[in-house]
C-alpha cells in the first residue's frame, strides 16, 4: 500500500539529512585522518573518500558516477590515490572522520542522545526501500556494514539516502539534456547551488568551460543575458527536482508520513547545530 506524503516531504527530509553527509568533505578531521594515511592533496583526499565504496576505480568510473567532474581533473588523481591507501583503508578513515566530525560539531551529549538513536533508526528504516538498479553509488555504499554506534549509523543512512537520490538525479539531468557544466551552472543560477568559485575549485573545470556552458544555456533560452534563469530555466530546474522526487519516493513512502516528519525534524535540529558550529564555508552557496 503506497503512503501518500505531503508534497515534497521526501525532498525536505533529504535536504535535512544530506548536509550531514556532506559536512565530511569540509571537515578538518578528514584532512587529519587522510594525511595520516599519506595523502598530501586535498582534492585527492575527497575524491578517495567518496569513491572508495566503489573499489579501486579510475577516472572513468568516477566521471560517470559523480557526473559533474572534469574527467581530465579526475585523471590527475585516479587511480593513483589507491597507491597511497587501499579502498578499505580509506573507508575506515572515512568512518573515523565521520565520528570525529559529528562529535566536534554536535557534542558528545547529542551524539549519545536518544534523539540520535531515534534518527538513526528512522533513517535506516527508510533505506529499506531503496533500490539498487541503475544506482551505482548507492548500491556500493549499501554493501558496507551498518556501524553499531547510532551517530555513525545515522551518518551511514544519510549517505545511503543521499546517494540514492543523487543516482536518480543523474537520470533526470540526462533526460533534461544538461551536460555536467550546464547542470552546475543552472543549479548555481537558482541561488541554491555552489558558488562558481567552489564549483571551479572542486570539480576541475576552467572559467572558460563555465562561460561556454552559460552561453549554451542562453542559446536554449534557459538563462538571460545577465545569467539569471529565465521562466523556461526556472521551470526546467523545478521539473528536474520533481523528476528526482518521483525516482526517490520509495524510501519516504516506506517510512510513512509520521516517520518522515519526525526524521526531518530531528535532522534539521542536527543540521542547525552543525551549521552553527561552522560545518560549512560561509561562501559555499550563491550565484557570485
Amino acid at each position: 500500500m503506497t503512503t501518500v506524503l505531503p508534497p515534497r516531504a521526501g525532498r525536505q527530509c533529504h535536504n535535512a539529512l544530506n548536509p550531514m553527509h556532506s559536512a565530511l568533505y569540509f571537515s578538518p578531521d578528514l584532512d587529519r585522518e587522510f594525511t595520516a594515511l599519506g595523502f598530501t592533496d586535498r582534492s585527492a583526499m575527497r575524491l578517495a573518500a567518496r569513491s572508495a565504496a566503489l573499489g579501486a576505480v579510475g577516472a572513468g568510473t568516477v566521471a560517470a558516477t559523480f557526473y559533474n567532474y572534469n574527467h581530465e581533473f579526475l585523471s590527475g588523481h585516479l587511480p593513483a590515490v589507491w597507491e597511497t591507501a587501499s579502498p578499505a583503508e580509506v573507508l575506515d578513515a572515512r568512518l573515523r572522520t565521520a565520528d570525529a566530525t559529528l562529535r566536534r560539531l554536535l557534542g558528545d551529549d547529542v551524539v549519545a542522545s536518544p534523539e540520535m538513536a531515534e534518527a538513526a533508526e528512522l533513517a535506516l528504516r527508510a533505506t529499506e526501500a531503496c533500490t539498487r538498479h541503475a544506482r551505482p553509488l548507492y548500491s556500493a555504499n549499501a554493501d558496507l556494514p551498518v556501524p553499531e554506534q547510532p551517530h555513525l549509523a545515522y551518518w551511514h543512512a544519510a549517505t545511503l539516502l543521499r546517494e540514492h537520490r543523487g543516482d536518480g538525479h543523474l537520470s533526470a539531468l540526462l533526460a533534461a539534456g544538461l551536460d555536467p557544466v550546464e547542470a552546475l551552472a543552472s543549479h548555481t543560477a537558482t541561488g541554491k547551488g555552489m558558488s562558481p568559485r567552489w564549483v571551479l575549485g572542486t570539480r576541475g573545470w576552467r572559467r572558460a568551460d563555465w562561460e561556454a556552458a552559460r552561453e549554451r544555456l542562453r542559446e536554449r533560452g534557459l538563462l538571460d543575458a545577465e545569467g539569471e534563469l529565465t521562466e523556461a530555466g526556472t521551470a526546467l530546474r523545478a521539473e528536474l527536482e520533481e523528476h528526482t522526487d518521483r525516482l526517490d519516493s520509495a524510501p519516504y513512502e516506506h517510512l510513512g508520513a509520521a516517520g518522515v516528519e519526525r526524521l526531518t525534524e530531528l535532522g534539521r535540529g542536527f543540521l542547525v547545530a552543525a551549521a552553527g558550529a561552522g560545518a560549512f564555508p560561509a561562501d559555499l552557496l550563491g550565484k557570485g
Side-chain angles (χ1 to χ4, degrees):
M1 183 175 181
T2 301
T3 301
V4 178
L5 299 177
R8 303 191 222 14
R11 189 193 310 178
Q12 291 165 1
C13 191
H14 163 81
N15 289 343
L17 271 63
N18 174 43
M20 293 309 297
H21 166 89
S22 303
L24 188 91
Y25 304 114
F26 305 100
S27 174
D29 305 303
L30 188 146
D31 296 324
R32 184 186 66 253
E33 289 288 349
F34 279 62
T35 297
L37 288 180
F39 287 91
T40 58
D41 185 280
R42 297 189 76 195
S43 292
M45 295 177 193
R46 282 145 181 80
L47 290 170
R50 190 172 176 214
S51 66
L54 295 165
V57 294
T61 299
V62 173
T65 53
F66 287 18
Y67 196 89
N68 57 25
Y69 282 68
N70 185 334
H71 181 263
E72 181 182 351
F73 167 74
L74 294 173
S75 296
H77 299 292
L78 295 161
V81 296
W82 312 121
E83 297 172 9
T84 300
S86 69
E89 291 171 323
V90 167
L91 288 170
D92 287 343
R94 186 175 82 164
L95 201 58
R96 291 194 300 271
T97 298
D99 179 45
T101 299
L102 291 178
R103 291 182 183 279
R104 177 173 52 81
L105 295 175
L106 301 179
D108 288 339
D109 289 345
V110 172
V111 161
S113 68
E115 290 79 11
M116 180 62 75
E118 181 185 5
E121 189 275 330
L122 289 168
L124 287 170
R125 193 190 312 164
T127 68
E128 293 170 356
C130 291
T131 55
R132 290 180 178 271
H133 46 280
R135 300 185 193 267
L137 268 176
Y138 160 76
S139 192
N141 280 279
D143 282 344
L144 302 177
V146 178
E148 292 184 7
Q149 297 182 73
H151 68 295
L152 295 181
Y154 176 74
W155 184 85
H156 174 74
T159 300
L160 296 183
L161 292 169
R162 165 203 168 93
E163 301 298 12
H164 188 267
R165 183 177 179 88
D167 286 337
H169 190 60
L170 304 194
S171 297
L173 291 172
L174 284 172
L178 293 175
D179 70 25
V181 194
E182 292 166 359
L184 289 165
S186 61
H187 190 210
T188 294
T190 68
K192 299 176 181 178
M194 288 195 300
S195 68
R197 185 178 79 82
W198 276 95
V199 170
L200 299 178
T202 61
R203 269 52 177 171
W205 301 104
R206 296 172 289 271
R207 175 59 68 171
D209 300 317
W210 183 260
E211 294 304 332
R214 281 159 52 98
E215 184 56 33
R216 292 193 297 275
L217 293 172
R218 290 190 188 96
E219 291 172 356
R220 288 181 60 179
L222 301 175
L223 288 184
D224 63 21
E226 286 71 43
E228 299 292 330
L229 287 172
T230 62
E231 184 176 346
T234 299
L236 178 64
R237 289 300 318 186
E239 172 54 27
L240 276 170
E241 294 304 324
E242 290 166 7
H243 187 168
T244 305
D245 288 345
R246 293 190 292 272
L247 295 174
D248 191 41
S249 61
Y252 304 103
E253 291 173 351
H254 176 70
L255 185 56
V260 169
E261 182 180 8
R262 178 58 174 161
L263 180 55
T264 303
E265 177 187 14
L266 291 167
R268 282 175 176 164
F270 300 147
L271 177 56
V272 168
F280 309 101
D283 63 346
L284 179 63
L285 304 179
K287 301 179 183 180

